[in-house]
DNA sequence: CAGAAAATTAACTTGATATTTAAAAAGTGA
DNA sequence: TCACTTTTTAAATATCAAGTTAATTTTCTG
């Protein structure tokens, strides 16, 4: 990859990062291209030079987030650790990633209203892969009889929900930093699963 | 209250109910006054006859939701039941209310961007009261030594998050109806608290 | 350095939607 | 029925933001 291509890639990623955090904060409709551009000290036109339109920007930022978190969890899953530890690690990674990226994975607008069918498929596929990783960990735990025999889908959704909601209440002014929050919350959530 | 006033109140409530469900689905910016009006078989102008502007509509619908759920939880809190049961009941009420009203309490736009300082105060006050009810139940449980001695605020936020997120994954086509979902989820969440 | 390619910009177009308004319709009490 | 009030409506206005464009500036390359 040439220097120029690297530069373009970097710029695109810069834009995506900023877009992610503004979109997560204000939602799709609430975010203006102007806003994204100006917080990068660019003009709107420049952003359009790199991305086809606003929808494209959102789509690509979703992909970026999902792909990275999928990598995160897959890496953890392969580590040689007891299942409880891997599960906890996955939760901590999830929460810290959310807080770092200031991202709502779902930005609380039904994605169905924004994306095309093909785009939705791609996103749901990734999301599904991600959820499957959690399910896999839970299943392992149940098989090893360290976890209670729960309804996997519901427990997974419950746990993901609790984690995703952290962005709503976490405050940088609070006592705990993101990692401490992540560890505390994961600790409590583990209690849903481990045998008494 | 005269008949006329009752009629007005009823109409306002109709509008609020519809607004709540559309706003919850599409978010503040994604919802048009046209849309709200036409799903009530009214014209936009009529809605403006009852509400000052869109922001006012959102504000009042938030108040309505919060006030009702505050009533719900306070009623439960006063029942003569063991604390675990009251806690579970409060969770079931929370989830079923969310699913019934199809409402995101937070519609994932920072309310700070929409409301005036005074309005925010009112809303945060109500939200705070609501959270305090949960905290109270948790505290009771800890004092009675049926609950583990947890960090109340974090556990409460975690549990509220898990519950609020249900609107993201609940599907009417799924196996369970709202009440079953609410009971199952509450059951799992209780495990965070009860002593092993 | 000169010219080409890439990147940026400001100014515009366009469409959508919140809000206003003035007139029509419906309702009400004498 | 008639005068009056309340409610509804359709049309007008105003604003704001997405997306476009053509011109300009910057960067690259030989």
């Amino acid at each position: 990859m040439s220097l120029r291509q690297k530069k373009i890639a970097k710029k695109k990623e810069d834009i995506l990062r900023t877009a992610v955090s503004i979109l997560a904060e204000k939602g799709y409709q609430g975010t203006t291209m102007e806003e994204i551009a100006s917080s990068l000290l660019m003009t709107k036109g420049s952003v359009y030079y790199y991305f086809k339109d606003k929808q494209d920007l959102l789509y690509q930022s979703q992909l970026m987030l999902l792909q990275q978190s999928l990598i995160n969890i897959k890496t953890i899953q392969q580590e040689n650790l007891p299942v409880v530890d891997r599960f906890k690690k996955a939760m901590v990674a999830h929460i810290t990633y959310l807080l770092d990226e200031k991202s709502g994975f779902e930005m609380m607008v039904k994605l169905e209203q924004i994306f095309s069918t093909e785009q939705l498929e791609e996103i749901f596929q990734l999301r599904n892969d991600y959820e499957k990783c959690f399910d896999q960990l839970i299943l392992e735990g149940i098989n090893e009889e360290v976890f209670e025999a729960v309804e996997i889908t519901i427990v997974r959704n419950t746990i993901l929900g609790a984690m995703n909601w952290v962005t709503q209440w976490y405050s940088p002014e609070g006592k705990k930093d993101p990692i401490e929050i992540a560890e505390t919350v994961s600790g409590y959530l583990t209690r849903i699963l481990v045998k008494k």
Side-chain angles (χ1 to χ4, degrees), chain A:
Chain A
M1 200 193 264
S2 76
L3 185 69
R4 162 152 288 141
Q5 283 175 313
K6 271 186 203 154
K7 256 189 155 173
I8 291 178
K10 188 183 173 316
K11 197 124 206 178
K12 275 197 180 185
E13 214 186 295
D14 282 353
I15 297 174
L16 281 179
R17 268 186 210 300
T18 305
V20 160
S21 91
I22 301 185
L23 284 165
E25 168 121 352
K26 311 207 170 175
Y28 184 63
Q29 325 268 358
T31 303
T32 72
M33 294 297 271
E34 198 73 55
E35 212 174 345
I36 294 172
S38 78
S39 81
L40 284 155
L41 307 177
M42 294 177 158
T43 53
K44 225 178 5 170
S46 259
V47 176
Y48 278 98
Y49 182 75
Y50 294 97
F51 294 92
K52 200 174 126 290
D53 54 24
K54 190 178 169 184
Q55 193 256 24
D56 184 39
L57 197 52
L58 177 59
Y59 176 60
Q60 300 213 27
S61 55
Q62 288 283 312
L63 283 190
M64 191 178 71
L65 285 175
L66 286 169
Q67 281 159 350
Q68 185 56 53
S69 32
L70 197 53
I71 291 173
N72 294 348
I73 196 170
K74 288 210 158 150
T75 309
I76 291 167
Q77 210 180 19
Q78 280 157 16
E79 288 179 32
N80 183 24
L81 284 172
V83 66
V84 190
D85 296 348
R86 272 177 288 145
F87 191 71
K88 256 195 197 161
K89 231 176 154 175
M91 288 193 287
V92 171
H94 184 100
I95 295 170
T96 50
Y97 188 59
L98 280 187
L99 293 182
D100 278 359
E101 298 285 342
K102 287 201 285 299
S103 92
F105 268 43
E106 327 230 3
M107 25 200 76
M108 198 79 25
V109 167
K110 297 275 172 284
L111 300 183
E112 289 84 342
Q113 291 169 357
I114 301 175
F115 294 129
S116 70
T117 319
E118 303 82 56
Q119 290 175 322
L120 280 175
E121 243 164 67
E122 178 82 29
I123 287 179
F124 287 146
Q125 186 57 58
L126 283 166
R127 195 188 285 177
N128 203 48
D129 289 351
Y130 189 73
E131 291 169 350
K132 284 289 151 288
C133 288
F134 267 99
D135 289 355
Q136 176 55 39
L137 285 169
I138 295 174
L139 186 61
E140 251 183 80
I142 294 174
N143 288 338
E144 288 185 21
E145 300 188 13
V146 280
F147 286 168
E148 211 70 56
V150 296
E151 291 168 86
I152 295 183
T153 306
I154 291 192
V155 167
R156 175 249 291 158
N157 280 329
T158 302
I159 289 176
L160 279 175
M163 296 195 296
N164 290 338
W165 202 257
V166 172
T167 52
Q168 299 296 304
W169 54 268
Y170 166 73
S171 150
E173 280 87 39
K175 268 198 284 281
K176 294 183 196 268
D177 66 33
I179 294 178
E180 289 168 325
I181 291 278
E183 280 172 351
T184 312
V185 170
S186 311
Y188 289 130
L189 289 173
T190 308
R191 292 176 50 85
I192 295 177
L193 283 165
V194 293
K195 285 207 167 176
K196 306 233 161 185

